[in-house]
Amino acid sequence: MHPEARLHIVAALVGALTLGAMGTHLWQAEHARREMSRSTLLEAERRAAQLASATATQMEELVRGIDLGLQQLRSSYGGDPAGFRQTVRSVLGTLGGGMLDQISVVSADGNLLYNSGGLPGPVNISDREHFRVHADNGADRLYIGRPVKSRITGRWIIPVTRPIQRQGRFAGVVNILLFPDQLSAQLARIALAPADVVVLLRSDGRFLARSRDWERHMGESVLPDRPFLQPGAAESGTFRAPASLDRTPRVFAWRRLPDTGLIVAIGLDEAALLAPLRRSAARQQWQNGAVALVMLLLGGGTVLLLMRQARNQRQLALNEERYRRLHESMMDAYVQTDLAGRLVEWNRAYESMLGYTTEQLRAQTSQSLTPSRWHDAESRIVAEQVLPRGYSEVYEKEYLRSDG
């Protein structure tokens, strides 16, 4: 293969290897970035699940305490009024802390019979969901109603209720009314980043409390595609999705409270989670770009050198071809020898003059082709002219032909 062609092939291989190395380096950097992001989000899922579990335990203890208070109030109501008022004070003292609004008792027809904050006048709540669920269903169970605005104070409340039954018949409802703003404030203390959210939901997905912008979203529900709302959903789990309300991408974890079906969901802001990685990735991109540039310059420089060498080889080949043609076209005999007398190069006129073939001349030396009487003279010419000056004066000599 011609040297120029070999250099072109080597240059192409160097270019391909350079581009391949650059591509591999950038791919590995991007793969590492994605793996770091994936690991960060997986760790966030685990952390969100732990927070959801801890928060669910707190909410379960709160609900259990409220239910115990409702049962004590129900047992005490209808007996000694002073004893009932003492039970009310005890429940408020135990479960208070600014989270409870009022304790009330409603008759079987929905009229307000007792309110710990006082009776402002006739109030009927027979149309309220948290009353109808007991009036229409005789089961003795705890019920957590939808957030509503109090008809007494105008403030958002969450009714937590149990039915009053007398001789197996529905006789009214006892209510403990929670403040969703106080409950939301308690949830807000759990959030870690400004855009993280902690929510308490009913089993139908309706908001009871939210750590951020709670009042704006009271009465609203999460999107129906949330995993915890699907039939047969697990008691806990994680997922990633834009939030139902503000559409902020978050890492979510949920846990369902037993018995009540309430759902605690933690949403960790993906942007805040990935912000350190993005800053690091920005720096890494500059570094990767610098490495790629160095690789490109080195590889490109090598290719350019090889291409220049190929051009030089081509020019040298052209020069040699011109020289060969000139050499072969010369009418005069021409021979080049080294200092030891070995024949290095000759033309066809030289072969014709001596009657030797090319192969035969390769076995000859200048001394073997020169009569012995010329040996001393030529040795003096080499010593006195060629070695000091690099050339000799023109002189004549004899050669021995192949035929003698």
Side-chain angles (χ1 to χ4, degrees):
M1 184 180 293
H2 197 278
E4 180 187 356
R6 284 199 298 270
L7 287 171
H8 279 128
I9 292 174
V10 172
L13 289 174
V14 169
L17 289 173
T18 299
L19 293 177
M22 286 174 57
T24 301
H25 175 73
L26 294 175
W27 177 85
Q28 288 177 339
E30 178 62 18
H31 179 70
R33 184 192 68 79
R34 291 183 180 181
E35 281 297 305
M36 285 292 292
S37 297
R38 188 181 70 85
S39 299
T40 298
L41 293 176
L42 285 175
E43 178 59 31
E45 287 183 0
R46 287 190 287 268
R47 186 154 51 94
Q50 293 171 351
L51 288 171
S53 177
T55 305
T57 299
Q58 294 178 9
M59 292 299 104
E60 189 176 357
E61 291 175 354
L62 174 63
V63 171
R64 188 181 296 116
I66 292 174
D67 189 29
L68 179 60
L70 285 171
Q71 294 184 57
Q72 292 173 347
L73 291 165
R74 181 176 62 179
S75 298
S76 177
Y77 185 73
D80 178 22
F84 178 72
R85 288 193 295 271
Q86 177 60 38
T87 303
V88 168
R89 288 193 293 270
S90 175
V91 170
L92 288 175
T94 302
L95 301 176
M99 194 172 297
L100 302 187
D101 181 11
Q102 297 171 354
I103 293 173
S104 63
V105 179
V106 180
S107 67
D109 53 7
N111 291 316
L112 187 62
L113 299 177
Y114 172 83
N115 184 60
S116 60
L119 290 172
V123 177
N124 187 280
I125 64 165
S126 59
D127 60 327
R128 295 287 204 187
E129 176 215 28
H130 59 276
F131 175 83
R132 297 263 30 115
V133 72
H134 296 300
D136 298 338
N137 187 334
D140 180 14
R141 67 187 181 98
L142 177 72
Y143 186 76
I144 300 175
R146 300 172 183 172
V148 295
K149 285 197 172 182
S150 171
R151 287 178 178 165
I152 297 175
T153 65
R155 189 173 179 180
W156 280 104
I157 56 172
I158 302 171
V160 185
T161 63
R162 265 195 180 272
I164 299 173
Q165 295 178 335
R166 296 290 184 263
Q167 297 178 348
R169 299 180 61 182
F170 174 68
V173 176
V174 59
N175 308 292
I176 290 181
L177 308 178
L178 296 178
F179 282 143
D181 57 344
Q182 296 298 318
L183 190 56
S184 296
Q186 180 175 336
L187 296 180
R189 289 193 287 271
I190 302 170
L192 302 177
D196 292 346
V197 294
V198 185
V199 297
L200 180 64
L201 306 167
R202 293 203 329 164
S203 59
D204 59 2
R206 192 176 296 271
F207 285 98
L208 294 176
R210 192 174 189 269
S211 60
R212 302 177 71 249
D213 303 325
W214 71 271
E215 189 168 14
R216 184 169 25 152
H217 303 301
M218 279 293 99
E220 297 182 3
S221 300
V222 297
L223 293 174
D225 64 350
R226 303 291 93 161
F228 47 75
L229 295 181
Q230 305 312 304
E235 296 302 304
S236 62
T238 61
F239 66 99
R240 301 175 203 164
S244 298
L245 301 178
D246 58 21
R247 308 307 294 165
T248 299
R250 292 188 174 98
V251 176
F252 286 99
W254 84 86
R255 181 169 290 275
R256 195 185 313 275
L257 276 64
D259 302 328
T260 62
L262 295 182
I263 300 165
V264 170
I266 305 286
L268 303 181
D269 178 27
E270 279 194 13
L273 293 169
L274 298 177
L277 286 182
R278 290 194 176 114
R279 288 191 293 269
S280 174
R283 292 192 298 269
Q284 191 63 41
Q285 283 179 345
W286 281 102
Q287 295 173 2
N288 292 336
V291 171
L293 180 61
V294 169
M295 294 172 68
L296 182 61
L297 291 175
L298 289 175
T302 302
V303 170
L304 289 176
L305 288 175
L306 289 171
M307 295 300 293
R308 179 177 294 177
Q309 184 66 22
R311 286 195 299 271
N312 292 340
Q313 287 284 351
R314 183 170 64 252
Q315 188 61 45
L316 178 61
L318 290 173
N319 293 338
E320 289 178 347
E321 178 63 19
R322 293 192 192 100
Y323 176 76
R324 186 188 64 77
R325 289 177 182 175
L326 176 63
H327 185 268
E328 293 297 328
S329 63
M330 290 174 59
M331 300 299 294
D332 294 332
Y334 165 83
V335 65
Q336 178 184 352
T337 66
D338 61 17
L339 292 178
R342 290 185 291 269
L343 304 186
V344 177
E345 190 177 4
W346 59 89
N347 63 0
R348 295 191 184 279
Y350 187 75
E351 292 178 358
S352 298
M353 183 181 73
L354 298 183
Y356 285 99
T357 65
T358 300
E359 292 300 322
Q360 289 172 334
L361 282 176
R362 288 196 178 101
Q364 300 295 326
T365 65
S366 178
Q367 290 81 2
S368 67
L369 296 172
T370 303
S372 58
R373 64 177 176 272
W374 285 92
H375 289 178
D376 291 341
E378 282 200 316
S379 296
R380 286 194 302 275
I381 290 173
V382 170
E384 296 173 0
Q385 298 181 32
V386 175
L387 290 178
R389 296 184 297 182
Y391 65 92
S392 70
E393 301 292 341
V394 177
Y395 68 95
E396 293 183 354
K397 63 171 284 186
E398 293 180 333
Y399 275 101
L400 291 174
R401 282 179 54 82
S402 59
D403 57 7

